[in-house]
Amino acid sequence: MIVLQLVVNGVLLGGTYILLAQGLNLVFGVMGIVNLAHGSIITVAGLFTYWFVTHTDQSPLWLIPCVFVAMLAVGAVLQRLLLEPLAKLGTRRELLSLMVTFGLSYVIVETALNFFGSQYVSLPNLQETWSVGGLAINEALVAAGVLGALISGCLHVWLHYTPSGKALLATSQNATGAVTCGIDVRRMRGISFAIGSALAGIAGVLLILILPLSAPTADTLTILSFVIVALGGLGDYKGAVYAGLLLGLVQSGVGYYLGGDVEVVVPYLLLITFMVLRPQGLGQAAR
Amino acid sequence: MSASASPSAETDALRVENLVAGFGDLTILHDVSLTVPIGKVTVLLGANGAGKTTLLRAITGLVTPRAGRVTLFGKEIAGQAPHLIARAGIGHVPSGRELFPRMPVSAHLDLGGRLCPPDQRAALRQRVLGLFPEIAERLGQAAGTLSGGEQQMVAIARALMTNPRLLLLDEPSAGLAPKVVLSVFQTLAKLQDQGMSVLLAEQSMTFGLSVANRAHIIREGRIVLSGTPAELTAERSVAQAYLGA
Ligand SMILES: Nc1ncnc2c1ncn2[C@@H]1O[C@H](COP(=O)(O)OP(=O)(O)OP(=O)(O)O)[C@@H](O)[C@H]1O
Ligand SMILES: [Mg+2]
């Protein structure tokens, strides 16, 4: 029974992890850069959710559409002002974009520290535990896991079944090929960063339901997201789904049997193991 | 039917005049001029590193020209963004094919088809698949898992699906077995029969001259010899020397 319980918890955690990674993945795929500010967007969205809920007494889930739309706009503006000017710089672009997103992360974290302080906060909402067939199912874990998976599913449908999504997917797999099809790659870069930021925002709203967050958590979340993206195979959206689930399951099991101290290093151990054994990522394995 | 064409009637699909282009401080193309007549295959012959790819990329805007003019059916396009040049009617089969490796063949056709008027898409798809029966059987397969020859056909099919007025092909024979090369070139001949204007970049004089009506030899970024296949064959030793053979 305990194994089943751990699997259920692991899958739910994995659902949230998938969403955590997809924003970073999208930006990497289309723009070819690792957005070091990814975790800071997640964190600020989480802290804002905490602030909003404690001040208004509304359900945090109302924030999902609002945060999505707001971060879409913020992401589009940030990309246009900070990253697009680097696009012409050829190979120097990669290093400069790391510096720019690192700087951006720093600014966001410092601002968050000013507004929200440095203490860890967690939401008291959705703390019911349902008993289903002998399993203890935590309401917050279900909300975060199911919504995370559902929103990642929407991303999948958009990428594979709509003209604009297919154009973005094509750009992420081969920008030159996309241009020959008349796709405006510059516009795709803007869209990918806008959607990447919006997904990071939603991930923050969901994450504060299940984990305590504080401003300095930002870097840990960037690294965690990067680990999932790298495990799945950089820029591979299906691969990230497998990687998120795998990480959730392994963490849930390791956390129970070996304790929290080992649980936190699981992502890095998995990453190192995979870089040695399967550097192309999980995605290719399943196909 | 008019007795004579009006003086402004276009006879060239593409006209490149005094084009200069390069990377950073490096100039690769020096004052390149050539024309591609409507409905004909023109071949651009050149050895490794002669500048064929750079010239095709400068025409399609993937490399920004520093000077000179590029005219497509009488309209100046030099300096425009590459996606706009694609929309203006140039189908580019780039060097290295540049497919979407994890997307199925059918998605490549759909993505090219975005530039074709919606009411003509289905008919165009039929015609393109008719040219490439091999890939018609593999519509659901990821492009990255196809053989080199099949990938080349997908690249050409994707470009044709944009409903281009001019097709640029960058060494479609590269890395293919001789038998497969033959079938690619037979397809080119069929396209020419259908009235397509083509500029083909190629290293092999034999392959290039077998399909072309007109040939230009490029060497170190300059056009050094132009003529009909017959003229180039007559001066075979000179041409071979330019091609570094
Ligand atoms: N991105 C680049 N930056 C700097 N130099 C480049 C770049 N791309 C090509 N070159 C140089 O430009 C010259 C022409 O290259 P190009 O690729 O146009 O030749 P090519 O005729 O297509 O050769 P091949 O038959 O090998 O494809 C070469 O000397 C090459 O080294
Ligand atoms: Mg080349």
Side-chain angles (χ1 to χ4, degrees), chain A residues 224 251 254 259-268:
Chain A
L224 183 66
Q251 253 188 346
V254 168
D261 288 345
V262 188
E263 183 183 342
V264 286
V265 297
V266 161
Y268 315 107

Side-chain angles (χ1 to χ4, degrees), chain B residues 53 95 170-171:
Chain B
T53 297
S95 134
D170 199 336
E171 289 194 56

Side-chain angles (χ1 to χ4, degrees), chain B residues 64-102:
Chain B
T64 312
R66 278 202 216 121
R69 288 158 53 85
V70 179
T71 343
L72 177 68
F73 288 90
K75 236 183 70 198
E76 171 77 35
I77 54 166
Q80 284 188 26
H83 68 280
L84 296 179
I85 294 179
R87 290 178 195 175
I90 296 188
H92 188 181
V93 181
S95 134
R97 293 144 201 166
E98 311 281 7
L99 300 182
F100 314 119
R102 295 192 292 271

Side-chain angles (χ1 to χ4, degrees), chain A residues 5-6 14 36 65 92 96 103-104 112 121 140 165 197 206 211 216 227 246 269:
Chain A
Q5 176 76 58
L6 290 173
L36 293 179
R92 275 191 304 156
L96 284 172
L104 180 63
V121 295
S197 305
L206 296 181
L211 285 180
V227 166
L246 178 73
L269 291 179

Side-chain angles (χ1 to χ4, degrees), chain B residues 160-232:
Chain B
L160 288 174
M161 281 302 297
T162 66
N163 199 23
R165 307 173 74 191
L166 167 71
L167 189 64
L168 305 188
L169 293 133
D170 199 336
E171 289 194 56
S173 62
L176 301 186
K179 217 176 99 190
V180 186
V181 176
L182 200 67
S183 109
V184 169
F185 277 74
Q186 278 165 355
T187 310
L188 279 189
K190 274 189 219 164
L191 284 172
Q192 180 170 230
D193 292 343
Q194 294 173 11
M196 180 65 78
S197 315
V198 176
L199 176 59
L200 165 72
E202 180 54 59
Q203 282 200 37
S204 148
M205 187 160 154
T206 317
F207 280 138
L209 294 187
S210 69
V211 282
N213 289 87
R214 211 177 153 69
H216 302 275
I217 295 183
I218 186 170
R219 182 188 162 94
E220 289 174 3
R222 291 183 173 84
I223 303 287
V224 288
L225 194 63
S226 301
T228 63
E231 286 164 358
L232 260 69

Side-chain angles (χ1 to χ4, degrees), chain A residues 267-281:
Chain A
Y268 315 107
L269 291 179
L270 269 181
L271 181 66
I272 293 167
T273 314
F274 267 77
M275 287 301 113
V276 173
L277 297 179
R278 254 203 101 71
Q280 72 273 41

Side-chain angles (χ1 to χ4, degrees), chain A residues 210-233:
Chain A
I210 55 172
L211 285 180
L213 293 178
S214 83
T217 326
D219 291 336
T220 316
L221 290 177
T222 299
I223 296 170
L224 183 66
S225 308
F226 180 77
V227 166
I228 299 168
V229 170
L231 276 181

